[in-house]
Amino acid sequence: MHRCGNHELPQGRPLVMGIVNLTPDSFSGDGLSRDTARAVAHARRQIEAGADLLDLGAESSRPGAVPTPLDEELRRLLPVLEALAGCGVPISVDTYKPAVMRAALAAGASMINDIHALRQPGALEAVADSSCALCLMHMQGEPLTMQQQPVYDDAVSEVRLFLGERVAALLAAGIDRQRIVLDPGFGFGKTLAHNLELLRRLPETACDGLPILAGLSRKSMLGAITGRPVEARLPASLAAAVLAAQRGARIIRVHDVAETRDALAVMQAVAA
Ligand code: 9MG
């Protein structure tokens, strides 16, 4: 991904995307839905800690989550997005709703991060004429039920096939491939075994050399491995970030920006 709105992204090292969760979600202990000033302050701290990009999300996508109405998603998102205009780093907005995409782009978003990979009617049209980057994520099912019984013959080839089909749909809609980033969607309709196989074989999940975004921070797969509750998964999240970066992930989506930057800096120093 070389195009991200008007922003130049740093080259030569994995990029860290800081999560700004604007939902009332208490799962990862970071929900900031009710207070714009607190959310903006959190976002600014993520930038000071070294975030290369921010990802603002105003609808929970954790397992079991129910959809958020459009007006509520916009109410949570827009004041924070507007307050962060000109903050110096590209802002990604995590949404699958075309109306939110349009509003976010009008308010200055440089990337759309879509867990539905632009499959909603009108989504391709909402982003086609902009220059924003586009993250296409794989998910089996919907957040409400996706973890009930995920099934694959071969998770890696099915994720790759899906992402390849979505890339073809974007190219057919006239979208430049330089705008596209792919994501296997750790934890989205996957068992622990599926997630581990996807991480082991991460480079095989993306097609045509497109960049990969990996989101593993604090996820339940790390709880399943370590037995730790969500608030004690920082060491496991750092290990997962390094493993993903070593397998070529270009963007790592995390809650703990400074710690992840340090872990990746050690990895880079050893690799040099
Ligand atoms: C919104 N969201 C939560 N987890 C995610 C992940 O792993 N990737 C992307 N792209 N978005 C995510």
Side-chain angles (χ1 to χ4, degrees):
M1 179 199 48
H2 301 298
R3 293 189 57 192
C4 192
N6 296 326
H7 291 266
E8 289 279 323
L9 290 169
Q11 302 289 320
R13 63 171 174 81
L15 303 178
V16 173
M17 170 185 261
I19 297 170
V20 181
N21 178 3
L22 305 175
T23 77
D25 191 351
S26 59
F27 168 74
S28 48
D30 63 342
L32 292 165
S33 73
R34 278 182 195 83
D35 186 341
T36 299
R38 261 186 75 215
V40 172
H42 173 76
R44 293 199 186 285
R45 281 197 301 277
Q46 297 280 59
I47 297 170
E48 278 159 26
D52 298 297
L53 314 91
L54 295 181
D55 190 38
L56 272 53
E59 171 168 351
S60 178
S61 56
R62 72 183 158 76
V66 293
T68 301
L70 170 64
D71 57 347
E72 175 63 11
E73 188 175 345
L74 290 170
R75 189 197 65 74
R76 294 174 187 170
L77 173 69
L78 289 180
V80 180
L81 184 55
E82 284 160 5
L84 290 171
C87 68
V89 303
I91 309 282
S92 161
V93 171
D94 150 27
T95 189
Y96 59 85
K97 295 191 185 85
V100 178
M101 293 174 190
R102 288 185 190 276
L105 293 172
S110 297
M111 179 170 185
I112 298 295
N113 171 26
D114 186 354
I115 64 169
H116 288 259
L118 300 177
R119 280 178 292 161
Q120 297 293 312
L124 288 171
E125 294 79 359
V127 299
D129 290 337
S130 76
S131 61
C132 70
L134 298 163
C135 179
L136 308 177
M137 197 196 79
H138 176 272
M139 169 169 62
Q140 187 180 85
E142 300 283 328
L144 183 63
T145 53
M146 66 190 178
Q147 288 307 103
Q148 286 175 4
Q149 208 177 12
V151 180
Y152 300 84
D153 287 330
D154 175 354
V156 173
S157 47
E158 288 173 46
V159 166
R160 182 187 172 91
L161 180 64
F162 169 83
L163 293 174
E165 287 170 358
R166 294 312 301 151
V167 170
L170 267 67
L171 298 180
I175 292 170
D176 190 336
R177 72 189 302 284
Q178 301 279 342
R179 295 172 59 192
I180 303 175
V181 54
L182 303 178
D183 183 340
F186 291 104
F188 285 84
K190 282 120 189 157
T191 64
L192 175 60
H194 297 141
N195 287 317
L196 291 175
E197 189 66 4
L198 287 165
L199 183 51
R200 256 179 228 120
R201 295 168 59 195
L202 189 62
E204 293 174 54
T205 63
C207 49
D208 301 334
L210 287 170
I212 297 174
L213 184 153
L216 294 136
S217 183
R218 301 186 190 174
K219 284 198 175 166
S220 57
M221 63 179 279
L222 304 177
I225 296 168
T226 62
R228 304 263 181 215
V230 68
E231 66 277 7
R233 292 183 193 156
L234 174 59
S237 300
L238 297 177
V242 169
L243 288 164
Q246 283 178 328
R247 285 161 178 75
R250 173 98 176 93
I251 303 177
I252 315 286
R253 182 180 182 277
V254 301
H255 297 86
D256 302 288
V257 170
E259 294 87 344
T260 307
R261 285 288 304 253
D262 284 359
L264 294 174
V266 174
M267 181 201 86
Q268 289 275 103
V270 172

